[in-house]
Amino acid sequence: MGNIILWEGFAVATILFFWFAVVKIVKAAKRRSRCGSKLPPGRRGWPLIGDSFNWYNAVASANPASFVHQQILRFGRIFTCHIFGQQAVVSADPEFNRFIMHNEGKLFKSSYPKSFRDLVGKNGVITAQGDHQRKLHGIASNMMRLDKLKLHFLNDIQVVLMKTICTFHNNQVIQLQDSCRKLAINMMVNQLLGVTSEAEVTEIAHLFSDFVDGCLSVPINLPGFAYHKAMRARETITMKINKTIEKLRSGRTRPEENGVLGRLVDEGSLPDEAVADFMINLLFAGNETTSKTMLFAVYFISQHPKALKQLVEEHDAFKSSKEENEMLTWQDYKAMPFTQCVIDETLRLGGIAIWLMRETTEEVQYKDYKIPKGSFVVPFLSAVHCDEGLYKRAQVFNPWRWTEPENQDKRNWRTGQSFTPFGGGARFCPGAELARLQIALFLHYFTTTYRWTQTREEKMSFFPSARLVNGFQIRLVRRDSSHPGNICNS
């Protein structure tokens, strides 16, 4: 499946840049001649193709920012190149990236492929624009407030984890990438839709897998194409959400039984016809961030025994203080300093949003540069996160770097500009704290329940999305089942 997605994604890129190349180049030339723009320095690369293949080779590797860092040496942190048939202004400058993110809806707007826009929907916080986006973002942020995480999410997440972590057998070999994806969708379906039936969770997980696979596909709505399959999956998920809304309206089910969906309908924040898009957006964003960060965290600590030892010691201390099957409290979660360092370092090296896609809505003046209206602008977040000038030995996994005084200001992922794994400005991820809570709790239950060994060579890739190429195959061994508080005791 991974290879099929990979080659289909490559085919999409190839078709699109040949399709739009001439039109984009002509339009860009007209814009430049009209406004007398002074673009950042750069190069055109090969005719029509530009730097598309160099860009692809970088993002398909474990170091997606390598192409960007090569260009920085020649042109500086803000430069131009030609990718997929159009000129792009690429930024690895933290200050300019912050400027772009904080001028969302004013000077810039998000820019996504047609397949992604169609599947996510017009009432989703990811793709909506202007006042509509701000309203949706406000609703999502309200649903994910810290007080609601404590009240509605903390115990629910642990119930799902305690149920699913124990399903693995002693000495079982698993593909952790698949397991994390299933676990994440299980948690999100439970918390967002209130679904607890194993059969229904499995059905939605399959549908959602088809949905995600179509987000960067060729937008051809015919049988046999990933886009068609994804659209069918979207229709089924939408139908399930709308049926739940009908039950809520008729009083056949209570809001508190349907997670975020129930609270959303109960509060009347959105018209019913907009709710499905909104919920699908939350499912998509939450599932991708959570599942891949859980996976990468285990992958990184597996390569660094010292980090694994310190993480296990931190969580064993919580476990030894609990009765059997007793859950962690919010105070426990806030008292995991090394776990938070592991999460931050995982997000720095393996963040899901390695770059953003924006378009200028009017001419933008930034320092000495003048960027025309309608220009494609790419804040490359990963290039900042892996900048040797900002982080010593930037390509090395080192969770202890976040305890160093010189990195404390950089660590502010809500308002800082050097570490932005959840974006910023008007599109700052409203579920950032929820994702971190899920990841921390997963690491607790996974590391206190199992030891594991890697059984197959592995490498990272970020195309068409962040992943481990071979799925991270590991052999699990149960820890002492007689240990106090072991969640898998029978």
Side-chain angles (χ1 to χ4, degrees):
M1 176 62 73
N3 288 334
I4 292 173
I5 297 171
L6 177 64
W7 283 108
E8 184 177 68
F10 182 70
V12 172
T14 305
I15 292 168
L16 287 179
F17 81 67
F18 277 116
W19 189 2
F20 292 113
V22 175
V23 174
K24 290 285 186 181
I25 291 170
V26 170
K27 285 184 176 179
K30 287 181 177 178
R31 284 198 300 269
R32 287 194 298 273
S33 64
R34 281 199 306 267
C35 69
S37 61
K38 183 183 177 183
L39 288 167
R43 68 176 197 170
R44 297 192 65 84
W46 293 92
L48 295 183
I49 296 173
D51 284 305
S52 299
F53 290 122
N54 293 331
W55 184 280
Y56 162 76
N57 287 334
V59 299
S61 74
N63 183 11
S66 58
F67 169 75
V68 174
H69 286 147
Q70 290 169 10
Q71 304 313 302
I72 290 172
L73 295 176
R74 297 181 60 186
F75 306 115
R77 293 178 184 274
I78 306 174
F79 62 91
T80 59
C81 65
H82 283 72
I83 51 175
F84 309 133
Q86 61 183 317
Q87 186 177 57
V89 175
V90 181
S91 170
D93 182 286
E95 188 178 336
F96 186 42
N97 288 354
R98 180 180 173 83
F99 175 81
I100 294 168
M101 289 186 284
H102 283 263
N103 279 283
E104 172 74 32
K106 302 171 187 175
L107 302 176
F108 303 90
K109 67 177 182 179
S110 60
S111 176
Y112 294 101
K114 173 178 167 50
S115 56
F116 187 85
R117 295 196 309 271
D118 291 348
L119 285 162
V120 171
K122 64 181 180 180
N123 291 304
V125 69
I126 297 175
T127 54
Q129 305 287 350
D131 291 340
H132 188 42
Q133 186 273 335
R134 284 186 283 275
K135 176 184 176 182
L136 295 172
H137 189 275
I139 295 170
S141 298
N142 179 59
M143 291 290 172
M144 309 292 175
R145 291 199 321 260
L146 284 181
D147 61 319
K148 294 192 176 182
L149 293 186
K150 299 177 193 178
L151 179 63
H152 298 297
F153 292 93
L154 179 64
N155 287 349
D156 287 348
I157 293 169
Q158 294 184 82
V159 168
V160 173
L161 285 168
M162 293 169 75
K163 179 180 178 181
T164 55
I165 290 288
C166 290
T167 60
F168 302 125
H169 305 297
N170 190 46
N171 214 34
Q172 181 177 350
V173 175
I174 66 169
Q175 298 275 356
L176 189 63
Q177 185 160 259
D178 291 340
S179 298
C180 284
R181 192 177 193 183
K182 292 173 184 175
L183 177 58
I185 192 63
N186 194 324
M187 287 192 292
M188 296 307 294
V189 167
N190 174 272
Q191 294 152 38
L192 298 182
L193 305 182
V195 174
T196 56
S197 160
E198 186 173 345
E200 194 169 2
V201 167
T202 300
E203 181 188 4
I204 294 177
H206 285 310
L207 290 168
F208 200 72
S209 178
D210 291 341
F211 172 89
V212 171
D213 289 346
C215 283
L216 294 177
S217 63
V218 181
I220 300 176
N221 200 7
L222 293 173
F225 287 87
Y227 176 81
H228 176 78
K229 193 173 184 180
M231 289 297 287
R232 293 283 298 275
R234 174 190 160 80
E235 290 172 7
T236 305
I237 295 171
T238 299
M239 180 186 68
K240 288 180 175 294
I241 292 172
N242 288 337
K243 281 187 176 179
T244 302
I245 294 173
E246 289 176 12
K247 290 180 181 178
L248 285 163
R249 293 296 187 207
S250 66
R252 286 177 286 162
T253 185
R254 295 178 298 172
E256 59 268 25
E257 296 173 351
N258 296 107
V260 169
L261 174 60
R263 296 194 293 276
L264 186 66
V265 173
D266 187 49
E267 292 173 8
S269 306
L270 284 173
D272 288 355
E273 61 270 17
V275 170
D277 281 0
F278 184 82
M279 297 306 300
I280 287 172
N281 269 244
L282 296 186
L283 282 169
F284 175 80
N287 183 68
E288 285 298 293
T289 300
T290 302
S291 65
K292 297 301 173 59
T293 309
M294 290 191 307
L295 169 70
F296 287 159
V298 176
Y299 171 70
F300 285 134
I301 62 175
S302 299
Q303 319 306 312
H304 297 82
K306 183 181 176 183
L308 174 58
K309 181 176 183 292
Q310 186 166 337
L311 185 72
V312 170
E313 288 174 352
E314 183 168 273
H315 287 285
D316 276 353
F318 289 113
K319 180 180 176 181
S320 63
S321 67
K322 301 292 181 184
E323 298 295 330
E324 184 175 339
N325 293 332
E326 183 182 353
M327 293 185 185
L328 296 177
T329 65
W330 186 259
Q331 289 70 31
D332 293 331
Y333 167 62
K334 301 304 288 185
M336 298 179 177
F338 190 68
T339 300
Q340 297 300 330
C341 289
V342 168
I343 293 173
D344 282 335
E345 187 69 348
T346 301
L347 289 168
R348 186 185 69 82
L349 283 175
I352 308 308
I354 58 174
W355 73 72
L356 306 176
M357 293 181 285
R358 296 293 183 263
E359 181 181 330
T360 55
T361 56
E362 57 183 87
E363 181 182 285
V364 174
Q365 180 78 43
Y366 184 79
K367 295 185 176 179
D368 294 334
Y369 303 131
K370 191 181 292 185
I371 304 171
K373 178 181 178 180
S375 295
F376 182 41
V377 180
V378 182
F380 210 112
L381 309 184
S382 178
V384 177
H385 296 166
C386 295
D387 186 336
E388 291 286 347
L390 293 171
Y391 300 101
K392 298 174 184 176
R393 302 183 69 201
Q395 289 297 326
V396 175
F397 178 79
N398 175 19
W400 296 278
R401 77 170 72 246
W402 297 109
T403 64
E404 297 168 0
E406 64 264 30
N407 287 327
Q408 291 309 302
D409 289 341
K410 299 172 190 171
R411 196 177 185 182
N412 190 341
W413 44 269
R414 287 189 177 277
T415 59
Q417 60 184 29
S418 298
F419 182 51
T420 53
F422 299 105
R427 291 191 181 274
F428 178 82
C429 176
E433 194 66 69
L434 172 59
R436 297 181 69 95
L437 175 63
Q438 292 172 322
I439 296 159
L441 294 175
F442 163 76
L443 289 173
H444 171 77
Y445 287 106
F446 191 73
T447 60
T448 57
T449 307
Y450 297 106
R451 294 280 186 256
W452 64 91
T453 53
Q454 186 176 336
T455 61
R456 190 176 181 184
E457 288 294 319
E458 196 55 85
K459 62 180 180 179
M460 297 176 73
S461 173
F462 290 82
F463 187 87
S465 62
R467 64 198 176 93
L468 292 175
V469 173
N470 295 316
F472 197 44
Q473 185 172 291
I474 58 175
R475 183 181 300 278
L476 297 174
V477 176
R478 286 267 179 91
R479 297 183 62 181
D480 183 8
S481 62
S482 63
H483 193 292
N486 193 301
I487 64 169
C488 292
N489 283 341
S490 57

